[in-house]
Amino acid sequence: MLAATPMGQVDDASPRLRSALRTADIVAAEDTRRTRALASALGVEIGGRVVSYYDQVEAARTPGLVSAIAGGETVLLVTDAGMPSVSDPGYRIVVACAEAGLPVTVLPGPSAVTTALAVSALPSERFCFEGFAPRKPGARAEWLRELLHQPRTAVFFESPHRIADTLAAAAEILGADRRAAVCREMTKTYEEVRRGGLAELADWAAGGVRGEITVVIAGAVAAEPDIDELADRAEALVADGMRLKDACAEVTQGSGASRRDVYQSVLDRRRADQQ
């Protein structure tokens, strides 16, 4: 079982998480001390044995846990906060169980990704999760350029030590006015959500930001296609021997423009030339 754990407010723990902590044969925890502290705060006594399962030991521990599951034991996987496998340990054991034909269940609950998205005041119908922003400036700039024309809202995690530099780079590459939200310490005592343009948020972050941070950036707004320009390109392809219908399909691919509109524009031009 993968179980989401509270990001800050203990009361966000689900009844199913409380029950699983009591009854699981093995509790695999990203940080055993934090998991024991969580159980204590919930008034729950962990019934099974507790083993560590963090990034550096994930690969080595997975086979033993899979063997335990195959042998009929219940393994509960919890991370420090939020949903396992979302930029936290968990992916490897899910893959291993799937390959072995073993059941995997999820006890849903808190997630920094969806919480930040919901409170960002940015479009949430379609979004992409980008994990942690790259640490090195060159890799970070390349990563941001990939978001330049991304129409989906993007969500990612960032360190408080790098958030100012990341927002400044985002403002330079994606545009100073691209809308964004910086969500920090969600559900905790000092929860704060800052919304605004990237340059405005970069200026704010330059003064120093603390806590766990999730950033949400609006997707790119598609430019209105230029039908006249597409019609010019279509006519050039026709002059090279392509059928008009095929030329219109070629030039409108990925543009957001209608082939019918471009086709009609070319026909209107031809009629005007004949008059």
Side-chain angles (χ1 to χ4, degrees):
M1 291 184 289
L2 306 182
T5 55
M7 294 183 290
Q9 294 291 333
V10 173
D11 289 343
D12 289 340
S14 70
R16 294 179 67 194
L17 172 61
R18 297 168 190 258
S19 176
L21 286 168
R22 289 191 189 97
T23 60
D25 298 302
I26 302 172
V27 175
E30 183 179 13
D31 185 326
T32 58
R33 292 168 299 179
R34 292 187 64 168
T35 298
R36 291 185 190 280
L38 172 62
S40 177
L42 294 173
V44 172
E45 184 175 347
I46 297 176
R49 60 190 178 94
V50 180
V51 299
S52 59
Y53 193 78
Y54 51 93
D55 289 337
Q56 288 75 16
V57 302
E58 186 178 2
R61 288 277 164 84
T62 294
L65 293 175
V66 172
S67 295
I69 296 169
E73 293 187 276
T74 299
V75 173
L76 173 67
L77 174 61
V78 292
T79 52
D80 292 347
M83 180 61 69
S85 81
V86 181
S87 286
D88 275 335
Y91 169 76
R92 281 190 174 91
I93 195 168
V94 173
V95 171
C97 286
E99 291 175 347
L102 298 172
V104 178
T105 58
V106 175
L107 311 187
S111 167
V113 176
T114 52
T115 301
L117 183 66
V119 78
S120 69
L122 295 172
S124 58
E125 293 85 358
R126 302 174 69 199
F127 71 94
C128 56
F129 174 56
E130 297 290 329
F132 280 90
R135 296 186 177 191
K136 296 183 178 180
R140 183 171 57 212
E142 183 177 351
W143 171 74
L144 285 168
R145 281 192 286 270
E146 292 177 359
L147 297 179
L148 182 59
H149 301 295
Q150 171 59 257
R152 297 171 178 82
T153 298
V155 185
F156 63 91
F157 299 146
E158 185 52 291
S159 157
H161 308 296
R162 294 189 296 272
I163 184 63
D165 289 340
T166 296
L167 289 172
E172 180 179 350
I173 294 170
L174 303 180
D177 296 326
R178 177 83 73 98
R179 301 298 295 174
V182 178
C183 309
R184 72 177 196 90
E185 295 292 271
M186 288 183 295
T187 80
K188 300 176 184 178
T189 302
Y190 298 104
E191 176 178 302
E192 182 178 18
V193 178
R194 287 273 182 164
R195 305 178 185 89
L198 284 169
E200 175 189 348
L201 291 172
D203 288 343
W204 163 75
V209 181
R210 294 181 179 180
E212 296 184 351
I213 298 169
T214 305
V215 181
V216 187
I217 297 181
V221 177
E224 286 294 323
D226 188 326
I227 300 299
D228 287 337
E229 179 183 345
L230 294 173
D232 288 341
R233 291 169 54 194
E235 289 195 286
L237 292 175
V238 170
D240 288 338
M242 186 178 288
R243 291 194 313 160
L244 177 57
K245 182 178 179 181
D246 295 335
C248 291
E250 174 76 18
V251 300
T252 56
Q253 186 173 5
S255 70
S258 164
R259 288 178 291 178
R260 181 178 298 180
D261 289 345
V262 176
Y263 187 90
Q264 189 61 50
S265 177
V266 173
L267 294 183
D268 290 344
R269 290 181 180 188
R270 291 178 178 179
R271 291 193 189 99
D273 290 342
Q274 292 173 355
Q275 293 178 353

